[in-house]
Amino acid sequence: GAGVSQSPSNKVTEKGKDVELRCDPISGHTALYWYRQSLGQGLEFLIYFQGNSAPDKSGLPSDRFSAERTGGSVSTLTIQRTQQEDSAVYLCASGSAGLKRFFGPGTRLTVL
Amino acid sequence: EDQVTQSPEALRLQEGESSSLNCSYTVSGLRGLFWYRQDPGKGPEFLFTLYSAGEEKEKERLKATLTKKESFLHITAPKPEDSATYLCAVIAYSGAGSYQLTFGKGTKLSVIP
């Protein structure tokens, strides 16, 4: 079966532009997570979706970051007015009833 | 605040030289501990879940153990293909039916032929 997929794999943008990152979770997984991984840092939690419940947005670093999940499946992470410090690898993970989480390959974002 | 500390940050081993990676944690309401392997340019790949102190899991040359304060990932007779960054993460209940996963910064393992 297909794993978690993310697109694009790489994104280069100019400071101040908006970007959208996409995540396609494993079919049937009700939980979806976004993480950010900066060079030399651990994975930083951003946001968590579980079924139809309100998302846990406690990890979003600023109001420039938002995410939505449509139809309980595909999710889009949007970063508005990008800054250079937003450069990182953005990882999406999905999971089912258990605690195990499966990660996608990530989107490497570079803000010039 | 939940904390996860991995050591060493980097480890170079000769092929066949066994060693251990450490993951120490402070967390309230621990529900489990994960080990992941991450290759350059890829997302983390799941290795093990440990749920309670004393538990051990094995997979090929890797064995993970758990105590109340730390976990070890033992690598026996490593091969160059074991070179990767190994990530530890703890999962704890954060209320309202959700769980928080906190990652360490990882140990970068290099196995030299």
Side-chain angles (χ1 to χ4, degrees):
Chain A
V4 178
S5 61
Q6 293 185 244
S7 61
S9 55
N10 283 283
K11 177 72 177 179
V12 181
T13 191
E14 293 179 339
K15 177 182 173 181
K17 296 286 181 68
D18 298 351
V19 295
E20 285 190 352
L21 312 180
R22 177 187 168 105
C23 172
D24 284 87
I26 293 172
S27 178
H29 279 188
T30 56
L32 188 147
Y33 313 83
W34 283 98
Y35 292 87
R36 179 168 69 175
Q37 188 174 34
S38 303
L39 191 63
Q41 301 297 314
L43 272 73
E44 175 190 4
F45 166 76
L46 296 177
I47 189 168
Y48 160 52
F49 296 90
Q50 175 60 57
N52 295 322
S53 302
D56 176 356
K57 303 179 182 180
S58 60
L60 294 179
S62 79
D63 59 8
R64 296 186 295 105
F65 288 72
S66 63
E68 59 180 26
R69 188 178 185 191
T70 55
S73 181
V74 172
S75 178
T76 302
L77 177 69
T78 301
I79 308 173
Q80 296 178 310
R81 305 180 302 281
T82 52
Q83 303 294 313
Q84 288 184 333
E85 60 263 28
D86 299 335
S87 297
V89 175
Y90 289 82
L91 290 160
C92 173
S94 71
S96 56
L99 302 179
K100 192 185 297 185
R101 303 178 186 187
F102 298 87
F103 283 84
T107 293
R108 181 174 296 278
L109 175 66
T110 303
V111 182
L112 301 177
Chain B
E1 182 181 331
D2 299 344
Q3 288 192 332
V4 180
T5 304
Q6 291 189 246
S7 61
E9 291 184 9
L11 181 63
R12 285 172 63 92
L13 298 174
Q14 292 292 321
E15 184 172 2
E17 179 187 2
S18 301
S19 187
S20 296
L21 312 182
N22 177 265
C23 171
S24 62
Y25 60 88
T26 55
V27 61
S28 301
L30 179 75
R31 296 301 175 93
L33 183 144
F34 296 118
W35 281 99
Y36 285 89
R37 168 190 171 128
Q38 187 173 27
D39 293 294
K42 296 188 177 181
E45 174 190 346
F46 172 81
L47 292 175
F48 303 110
T49 307
L50 301 167
Y51 293 103
S52 58
E55 189 173 359
E56 298 183 352
K57 294 274 180 74
E58 285 190 68
K59 179 181 179 181
E60 296 181 352
R61 295 177 292 282
L62 300 176
K63 183 168 90 171
T65 61
L66 181 66
T67 72
K68 289 185 178 180
K69 294 184 177 181
E70 59 190 347
S71 176
F72 291 94
L73 184 66
H74 306 278
I75 303 177
T76 302
K79 298 182 177 181
E81 53 262 41
D82 295 323
S83 297
T85 295
Y86 291 85
L87 299 171
C88 166
V90 296
I91 192 162
Y93 185 64
S94 57
S98 66
Y99 294 85
Q100 188 65 271
L101 190 64
T102 304
F103 280 86
K105 294 183 179 181
T107 293
K108 184 176 181 180
L109 174 66
S110 301
V111 182
I112 313 303

PDB file of all heavy atoms in Angstrom, chain B residues 86-107:
ATOM      1  N   TYR B  86      19.393   8.441  14.072  1.00  0.00           N
ATOM      2  CA  TYR B  86      18.410   7.700  14.852  1.00  0.00           C
ATOM      3  C   TYR B  86      17.717   8.670  15.808  1.00  0.00           C
ATOM      4  O   TYR B  86      18.358   9.349  16.600  1.00  0.00           O
ATOM      5  CB  TYR B  86      19.076   6.542  15.597  1.00  0.00           C
ATOM      6  CG  TYR B  86      19.540   5.470  14.640  1.00  0.00           C
ATOM      7  CD1 TYR B  86      20.769   5.559  14.003  1.00  0.00           C
ATOM      8  CD2 TYR B  86      18.717   4.387  14.332  1.00  0.00           C
ATOM      9  CE1 TYR B  86      21.172   4.603  13.084  1.00  0.00           C
ATOM     10  CE2 TYR B  86      19.120   3.414  13.422  1.00  0.00           C
ATOM     11  CZ  TYR B  86      20.334   3.540  12.798  1.00  0.00           C
ATOM     12  OH  TYR B  86      20.733   2.586  11.889  1.00  0.00           O
ATOM     13  N   LEU B  87      16.402   8.703  15.685  1.00  0.00           N
ATOM     14  CA  LEU B  87      15.581   9.631  16.465  1.00  0.00           C
ATOM     15  C   LEU B  87      14.787   8.876  17.520  1.00  0.00           C
ATOM     16  O   LEU B  87      14.237   7.810  17.260  1.00  0.00           O
ATOM     17  CB  LEU B  87      14.599  10.368  15.553  1.00  0.00           C
ATOM     18  CG  LEU B  87      15.192  11.241  14.451  1.00  0.00           C
ATOM     19  CD1 LEU B  87      14.092  11.725  13.511  1.00  0.00           C
ATOM     20  CD2 LEU B  87      15.921  12.423  15.037  1.00  0.00           C
ATOM     21  N   CYS B  88      14.732   9.467  18.688  1.00  0.00           N
ATOM     22  CA  CYS B  88      13.925   8.948  19.774  1.00  0.00           C
ATOM     23  C   CYS B  88      12.770   9.920  20.010  1.00  0.00           C
ATOM     24  O   CYS B  88      12.953  11.142  19.889  1.00  0.00           O
ATOM     25  CB  CYS B  88      14.813   8.835  21.018  1.00  0.00           C
ATOM     26  SG  CYS B  88      13.955   8.582  22.568  1.00  0.00           S
ATOM     27  N   ALA B  89      11.600   9.416  20.323  1.00  0.00           N
ATOM     28  CA  ALA B  89      10.457  10.276  20.598  1.00  0.00           C
ATOM     29  C   ALA B  89       9.617   9.654  21.700  1.00  0.00           C
ATOM     30  O   ALA B  89       9.439   8.432  21.730  1.00  0.00           O
ATOM     31  CB  ALA B  89       9.618  10.481  19.338  1.00  0.00           C
ATOM     32  N   VAL B  90       9.097  10.491  22.586  1.00  0.00           N
ATOM     33  CA  VAL B  90       8.213   9.996  23.631  1.00  0.00           C
ATOM     34  C   VAL B  90       6.814  10.520  23.362  1.00  0.00           C
ATOM     35  O   VAL B  90       6.625  11.626  22.854  1.00  0.00           O
ATOM     36  CB  VAL B  90       8.671  10.414  25.035  1.00  0.00           C
ATOM     37  CG1 VAL B  90      10.016   9.793  25.341  1.00  0.00           C
ATOM     38  CG2 VAL B  90       8.722  11.919  25.184  1.00  0.00           C
ATOM     39  N   ILE B  91       5.859   9.723  23.682  1.00  0.00           N
ATOM     40  CA  ILE B  91       4.467  10.116  23.488  1.00  0.00           C
ATOM     41  C   ILE B  91       3.778  10.135  24.841  1.00  0.00           C
ATOM     42  O   ILE B  91       3.919   9.205  25.630  1.00  0.00           O
ATOM     43  CB  ILE B  91       3.764   9.190  22.481  1.00  0.00           C
ATOM     44  CG1 ILE B  91       2.419   9.764  22.070  1.00  0.00           C
ATOM     45  CG2 ILE B  91       3.645   7.781  22.987  1.00  0.00           C
ATOM     46  CD1 ILE B  91       1.883   9.159  20.783  1.00  0.00           C
ATOM     47  N   ALA B  92       3.084  11.225  25.093  1.00  0.00           N
ATOM     48  CA  ALA B  92       2.401  11.397  26.367  1.00  0.00           C
ATOM     49  C   ALA B  92       1.019  11.953  26.113  1.00  0.00           C
ATOM     50  O   ALA B  92       0.779  12.668  25.144  1.00  0.00           O
ATOM     51  CB  ALA B  92       3.196  12.332  27.279  1.00  0.00           C
ATOM     52  N   TYR B  93       0.114  11.611  27.017  1.00  0.00           N
ATOM     53  CA  TYR B  93      -1.239  12.105  26.888  1.00  0.00           C
ATOM     54  C   TYR B  93      -1.259  13.594  27.212  1.00  0.00           C
ATOM     55  O   TYR B  93      -0.758  14.023  28.240  1.00  0.00           O
ATOM     56  CB  TYR B  93      -2.163  11.351  27.838  1.00  0.00           C
ATOM     57  CG  TYR B  93      -3.618  11.700  27.690  1.00  0.00           C
ATOM     58  CD1 TYR B  93      -4.296  11.418  26.514  1.00  0.00           C
ATOM     59  CD2 TYR B  93      -4.320  12.313  28.730  1.00  0.00           C
ATOM     60  CE1 TYR B  93      -5.621  11.721  26.370  1.00  0.00           C
ATOM     61  CE2 TYR B  93      -5.651  12.619  28.599  1.00  0.00           C
ATOM     62  CZ  TYR B  93      -6.310  12.326  27.406  1.00  0.00           C
ATOM     63  OH  TYR B  93      -7.631  12.634  27.269  1.00  0.00           O
ATOM     64  N   SER B  94      -1.839  14.387  26.311  1.00  0.00           N
ATOM     65  CA  SER B  94      -1.838  15.841  26.506  1.00  0.00           C
ATOM     66  C   SER B  94      -3.231  16.392  26.784  1.00  0.00           C
ATOM     67  O   SER B  94      -3.438  17.591  26.801  1.00  0.00           O
ATOM     68  CB  SER B  94      -1.240  16.530  25.277  1.00  0.00           C
ATOM     69  OG  SER B  94      -1.953  16.187  24.107  1.00  0.00           O
ATOM     70  N   GLY B  95      -4.185  15.496  27.024  1.00  0.00           N
ATOM     71  CA  GLY B  95      -5.525  15.948  27.373  1.00  0.00           C
ATOM     72  C   GLY B  95      -6.464  16.001  26.187  1.00  0.00           C
ATOM     73  O   GLY B  95      -6.024  16.054  25.047  1.00  0.00           O
ATOM     74  N   ALA B  96      -7.738  16.012  26.454  1.00  0.00           N
ATOM     75  CA  ALA B  96      -8.785  16.126  25.420  1.00  0.00           C
ATOM     76  C   ALA B  96      -8.635  15.062  24.342  1.00  0.00           C
ATOM     77  O   ALA B  96      -8.907  15.322  23.157  1.00  0.00           O
ATOM     78  CB  ALA B  96      -8.766  17.530  24.799  1.00  0.00           C
ATOM     79  N   GLY B  97      -8.217  13.887  24.750  1.00  0.00           N
ATOM     80  CA  GLY B  97      -8.132  12.776  23.809  1.00  0.00           C
ATOM     81  C   GLY B  97      -6.988  12.825  22.839  1.00  0.00           C
ATOM     82  O   GLY B  97      -6.977  12.074  21.857  1.00  0.00           O
ATOM     83  N   SER B  98      -6.023  13.702  23.049  1.00  0.00           N
ATOM     84  CA  SER B  98      -4.905  13.793  22.114  1.00  0.00           C
ATOM     85  C   SER B  98      -3.592  13.461  22.806  1.00  0.00           C
ATOM     86  O   SER B  98      -3.481  13.521  24.020  1.00  0.00           O
ATOM     87  CB  SER B  98      -4.834  15.178  21.484  1.00  0.00           C
ATOM     88  OG  SER B  98      -4.522  16.153  22.456  1.00  0.00           O
ATOM     89  N   TYR B  99      -2.621  13.096  21.989  1.00  0.00           N
ATOM     90  CA  TYR B  99      -1.307  12.717  22.472  1.00  0.00           C
ATOM     91  C   TYR B  99      -0.259  13.633  21.851  1.00  0.00           C
ATOM     92  O   TYR B  99      -0.358  14.012  20.695  1.00  0.00           O
ATOM     93  CB  TYR B  99      -0.993  11.259  22.107  1.00  0.00           C
ATOM     94  CG  TYR B  99      -1.882  10.267  22.815  1.00  0.00           C
ATOM     95  CD1 TYR B  99      -3.128   9.932  22.298  1.00  0.00           C
ATOM     96  CD2 TYR B  99      -1.481   9.687  24.010  1.00  0.00           C
ATOM     97  CE1 TYR B  99      -3.934   9.041  22.958  1.00  0.00           C
ATOM     98  CE2 TYR B  99      -2.291   8.781  24.675  1.00  0.00           C
ATOM     99  CZ  TYR B  99      -3.522   8.472  24.136  1.00  0.00           C
ATOM    100  OH  TYR B  99      -4.330   7.586  24.787  1.00  0.00           O
ATOM    101  N   GLN B 100       0.761  13.940  22.626  1.00  0.00           N
ATOM    102  CA  GLN B 100       1.852  14.789  22.155  1.00  0.00           C
ATOM    103  C   GLN B 100       3.088  13.939  21.972  1.00  0.00           C
ATOM    104  O   GLN B 100       3.457  13.161  22.846  1.00  0.00           O
ATOM    105  CB  GLN B 100       2.130  15.913  23.162  1.00  0.00           C
ATOM    106  CG  GLN B 100       3.121  16.955  22.672  1.00  0.00           C
ATOM    107  CD  GLN B 100       2.599  17.725  21.479  1.00  0.00           C
ATOM    108  OE1 GLN B 100       2.792  17.324  20.325  1.00  0.00           O
ATOM    109  NE2 GLN B 100       1.932  18.833  21.729  1.00  0.00           N
ATOM    110  N   LEU B 101       3.719  14.087  20.815  1.00  0.00           N
ATOM    111  CA  LEU B 101       4.943  13.355  20.503  1.00  0.00           C
ATOM    112  C   LEU B 101       6.098  14.344  20.560  1.00  0.00           C
ATOM    113  O   LEU B 101       6.108  15.325  19.829  1.00  0.00           O
ATOM    114  CB  LEU B 101       4.823  12.731  19.114  1.00  0.00           C
ATOM    115  CG  LEU B 101       5.882  11.734  18.671  1.00  0.00           C
ATOM    116  CD1 LEU B 101       5.838  10.508  19.551  1.00  0.00           C
ATOM    117  CD2 LEU B 101       5.653  11.336  17.222  1.00  0.00           C
ATOM    118  N   THR B 102       7.059  14.086  21.436  1.00  0.00           N
ATOM    119  CA  THR B 102       8.213  14.980  21.596  1.00  0.00           C
ATOM    120  C   THR B 102       9.460  14.248  21.149  1.00  0.00           C
ATOM    121  O   THR B 102       9.771  13.180  21.673  1.00  0.00           O
ATOM    122  CB  THR B 102       8.364  15.428  23.056  1.00  0.00           C
ATOM    123  OG1 THR B 102       7.151  16.039  23.497  1.00  0.00           O
ATOM    124  CG2 THR B 102       9.500  16.432  23.184  1.00  0.00           C
ATOM    125  N   PHE B 103      10.174  14.839  20.201  1.00  0.00           N
ATOM    126  CA  PHE B 103      11.366  14.219  19.633  1.00  0.00           C
ATOM    127  C   PHE B 103      12.642  14.745  20.266  1.00  0.00           C
ATOM    128  O   PHE B 103      12.736  15.913  20.650  1.00  0.00           O
ATOM    129  CB  PHE B 103      11.444  14.520  18.132  1.00  0.00           C
ATOM    130  CG  PHE B 103      10.579  13.647  17.277  1.00  0.00           C
ATOM    131  CD1 PHE B 103       9.255  13.966  17.061  1.00  0.00           C
ATOM    132  CD2 PHE B 103      11.088  12.492  16.705  1.00  0.00           C
ATOM    133  CE1 PHE B 103       8.442  13.161  16.272  1.00  0.00           C
ATOM    134  CE2 PHE B 103      10.293  11.688  15.906  1.00  0.00           C
ATOM    135  CZ  PHE B 103       8.971  12.017  15.693  1.00  0.00           C
ATOM    136  N   GLY B 104      13.651  13.871  20.332  1.00  0.00           N
ATOM    137  CA  GLY B 104      15.006  14.313  20.598  1.00  0.00           C
ATOM    138  C   GLY B 104      15.632  14.818  19.313  1.00  0.00           C
ATOM    139  O   GLY B 104      15.032  14.745  18.235  1.00  0.00           O
ATOM    140  N   LYS B 105      16.862  15.347  19.420  1.00  0.00           N
ATOM    141  CA  LYS B 105      17.532  15.907  18.246  1.00  0.00           C
ATOM    142  C   LYS B 105      18.220  14.849  17.403  1.00  0.00           C
ATOM    143  O   LYS B 105      18.673  15.134  16.304  1.00  0.00           O
ATOM    144  CB  LYS B 105      18.525  16.984  18.666  1.00  0.00           C
ATOM    145  CG  LYS B 105      17.855  18.211  19.280  1.00  0.00           C
ATOM    146  CD  LYS B 105      18.864  19.289  19.606  1.00  0.00           C
ATOM    147  CE  LYS B 105      18.152  20.496  20.201  1.00  0.00           C
ATOM    148  NZ  LYS B 105      19.102  21.605  20.510  1.00  0.00           N
ATOM    149  N   GLY B 106      18.305  13.640  17.924  1.00  0.00           N
ATOM    150  CA  GLY B 106      18.855  12.562  17.129  1.00  0.00           C
ATOM    151  C   GLY B 106      20.329  12.300  17.373  1.00  0.00           C
ATOM    152  O   GLY B 106      21.065  13.148  17.877  1.00  0.00           O
ATOM    153  N   THR B 107      20.745  11.092  17.020  1.00  0.00           N
ATOM    154  CA  THR B 107      22.157  10.705  17.003  1.00  0.00           C
ATOM    155  C   THR B 107      22.503  10.319  15.578  1.00  0.00           C
ATOM    156  O   THR B 107      21.859   9.438  14.997  1.00  0.00           O
ATOM    157  CB  THR B 107      22.440   9.524  17.929  1.00  0.00           C
ATOM    158  OG1 THR B 107      22.242   9.912  19.284  1.00  0.00           O
ATOM    159  CG2 THR B 107      23.868   9.022  17.742  1.00  0.00           C
TER     160      THR B 107
END
